[in-house]
């Protein structure tokens, strides 16, 4: 992990990254917004950067899923410093992470707990609402998940992508003794390995394109690692795909036994060739998809993290101050195999 100045020091000036328009950003002075009724003010410890942040910066985010100008940052951790009316004062001083989707809470989908399918329209921290690439973040307190007092906030900054994979793991519903596999070896793939390992599988295969990820995969619990051009078995009970390509989805489906369960989490480019519907029907495959994380997945993630069954820190390779936002974005898109999760420290 590369060293960096602690920009969260009390003497550091408050600042925020603002993306004015695709390809245009600046660092601006930041003033904390006092929490209103039902809200909390969080001092940000760290904010992660993922491919969707790069899409926001480059202007590749689908229409309706970003609103400029914008302070990005949907992966974060921090400490509550103030709360508004109606919020328990016991939250102040607690370490927290928070859900991103600003769901309406009153539509049928929200009442069913499917907050990522809110029919009132899409609103999410870091995409249409101010995000965490700033000294502080003010958001609805109902979105917060409290961490143990001894939680490592640097590790906790990765719990948003972990929650997305927790949603996949819950849909996969792997039970002890099943044969499970993960396709993809990025941050999401390594979290999928850890969640599936916690289910006590008989076998846990990881399939990727980078042989250098074999050691880390096995550190997290994989029993076997293969690249996609090696001979692959076809009799797994559960497969979670995290690579975000149509080819990876087809590889994942091919790993399954008849009647097996597939969960897709990656988002391929528009127009990509999909799965063969004949194959899905004839082999009676059960296919699920995940976009974001609902409250149950977040709660599951925090429990697993608190129990010591989730270890995000080995995935972090760079920590940079907000001033180096441009460098951080370049690192994420560099294709350099030594670059893992990049964090910004306000």
């Amino acid at each position: 992990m590369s060293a960096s100045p602690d920009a969260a020091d009390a003497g550091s000036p408050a600042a925020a990254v603002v993306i004015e328009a695709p390809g245009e950003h600046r660092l601006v002075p930041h003033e904390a917004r006092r929490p209103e009724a039902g809200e909390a003010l969080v001092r940000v410890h760290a904010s992660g950067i993922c491919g969707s942040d790069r899409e926001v910066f480059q202007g590749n985010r689908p229409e309706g899923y970003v609103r400029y100008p914008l302070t990005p940052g949907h992966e974060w951790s921090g400490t509550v410093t103030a709360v508004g009316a109606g919020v328990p004062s016991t939250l102040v001083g607690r370490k927290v992470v928070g859900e991103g989707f600003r769901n309406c809470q009153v539509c049928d989908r929200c009442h069913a707990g499917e907050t990522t399918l809110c029919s009132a329209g899409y609103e999410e921290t870091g995409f249409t609402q101010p995000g965490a690439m700033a000294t502080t973040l003010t958001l609805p307190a109902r979105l917060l998940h409290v961490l143990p007092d001894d939680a490592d906030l640097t590790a906790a900054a990765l719990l948003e992508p972990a929650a997305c994979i927790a949603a996949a793991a819950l849909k996969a519903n792997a039970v002890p003794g099943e044969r499970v596999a993960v396709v993809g070896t990025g941050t999401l793939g390594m979290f999928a390995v850890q969640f599936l390992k916690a289910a006590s599988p008989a076998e846990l295969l990881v399939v990727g394109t980078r042989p250098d990820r074999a050691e880390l995969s096995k550190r997290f619990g994989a029993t076997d690692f293969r690249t996609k051009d090696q001979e692959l078995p076809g009799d797994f009970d559960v497969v979670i795909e995290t690579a975000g390509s149509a080819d990876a989805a087809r590889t994942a489906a091919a790993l399954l036994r008849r009647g097996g369960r597939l969960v897709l989490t990656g988002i391929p480019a528009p127009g990509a060739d999909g799965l063969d519907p004949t194959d899905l029907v004839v082999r009676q495959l059960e296919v699920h998809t995940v976009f974001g994380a609902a409250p149950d997945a977040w709660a599951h993630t925090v429990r697993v993290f608190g129990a010591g069954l989730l270890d995000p820190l080995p995935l972090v390779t760079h920590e940079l101050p907000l001033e180096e936002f441009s460098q951080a974005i370049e690192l994420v898109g560099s294709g350099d195999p030594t670059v893992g999760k990049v964090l910004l420290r306000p």
Side-chain angles (χ1 to χ4, degrees):
M1 189 184 304
S2 59
S4 67
D6 188 355
D9 186 273
S12 300
V17 172
V18 173
I19 299 177
E20 299 284 0
E24 301 177 18
H25 86 281
R26 59 194 178 100
L27 193 69
V28 302
H30 173 75
E31 183 174 343
R33 181 172 71 78
R34 182 180 298 276
E36 298 178 357
E39 293 185 324
L41 173 65
V42 176
R43 183 176 70 250
V44 177
H45 173 82
S47 180
I49 296 180
C50 81
S52 56
D53 295 304
R54 186 172 167 83
E55 288 176 355
V56 169
F57 181 66
Q58 294 180 326
N60 299 328
R61 186 83 169 161
E63 185 177 355
Y65 288 86
V66 64
R67 189 157 55 237
Y68 302 100
L70 174 72
T71 292
H74 60 286
E75 304 178 4
W76 59 269
S77 64
T79 303
V80 176
T81 60
V83 296
V87 180
S89 60
T90 52
L91 265 182
V92 176
R94 299 303 304 272
K95 296 177 179 179
V96 294
V97 289
E99 299 174 31
F101 283 80
R102 306 289 185 94
N103 54 295
C104 75
Q105 303 183 82
V106 296
C107 71
D108 288 346
R109 296 278 56 81
C110 284
H111 280 307
E114 299 172 337
T115 55
T116 61
L117 297 175
C118 177
S119 59
Y122 171 79
E123 294 286 344
E124 185 176 4
T125 300
F127 296 104
T128 63
Q129 298 290 331
M133 293 185 193
T135 308
T136 68
L137 173 65
T138 304
L139 74 167
R142 63 183 173 82
L143 299 178
L144 297 179
H145 289 261
V146 177
L147 301 171
D149 291 337
D150 62 352
D152 184 322
L153 283 176
T154 300
L158 277 68
L159 292 187
E160 191 277 341
C164 295
I165 293 301
L170 291 172
K171 288 189 175 184
N173 193 28
V175 298
E178 286 193 311
R179 302 178 71 240
V180 303
V182 174
V183 176
T185 58
T187 298
L188 297 181
M190 294 300 95
F191 277 133
V193 173
Q194 295 181 63
F195 276 111
L196 289 176
K197 173 63 176 178
S200 300
E203 184 177 346
L204 205 176
L205 169 68
V206 175
V207 179
T209 59
R210 291 173 46 186
D212 62 295
R213 298 295 265 187
E215 181 179 348
L216 188 59
S217 298
K218 292 181 178 179
R219 173 178 172 179
F220 286 141
T223 58
D224 191 12
F225 179 95
R226 303 188 193 187
T227 55
K228 65 176 185 176
D229 54 353
Q230 292 179 295
E231 182 178 354
L232 298 175
D235 54 357
F236 281 79
D237 299 292
V238 171
V239 179
I240 296 179
E241 175 276 327
T242 67
S245 72
D247 183 57
R250 289 190 291 270
T251 297
L255 288 168
L256 286 166
R257 62 165 172 80
R258 288 172 58 86
R261 307 188 297 283
L262 172 63
V263 186
L264 305 174
T265 70
I267 304 177
D273 291 332
L275 301 175
D276 179 357
T278 301
D279 179 58
L280 298 181
V281 173
V282 170
R283 293 205 290 137
Q284 299 182 64
L285 299 183
E286 185 179 318
V287 181
H288 298 272
T289 60
V290 168
F291 177 63
D296 62 339
W298 273 96
H300 182 56
T301 301
V302 171
R303 282 195 303 269
V304 172
F305 178 65
L309 299 175
L310 204 60
D311 184 14
L313 272 182
L315 302 175
V316 179
T317 58
H318 295 76
E319 295 182 59
L320 304 171
L322 288 179
E323 291 83 358
E324 296 184 27
F325 172 79
S326 293
Q327 179 183 344
I329 287 290
E330 289 177 7
L331 282 169
V332 171
S334 67
D336 184 341
T338 66
V339 176
K341 176 57 67 173
V342 178
L343 299 181
L344 289 180
R345 297 286 300 274

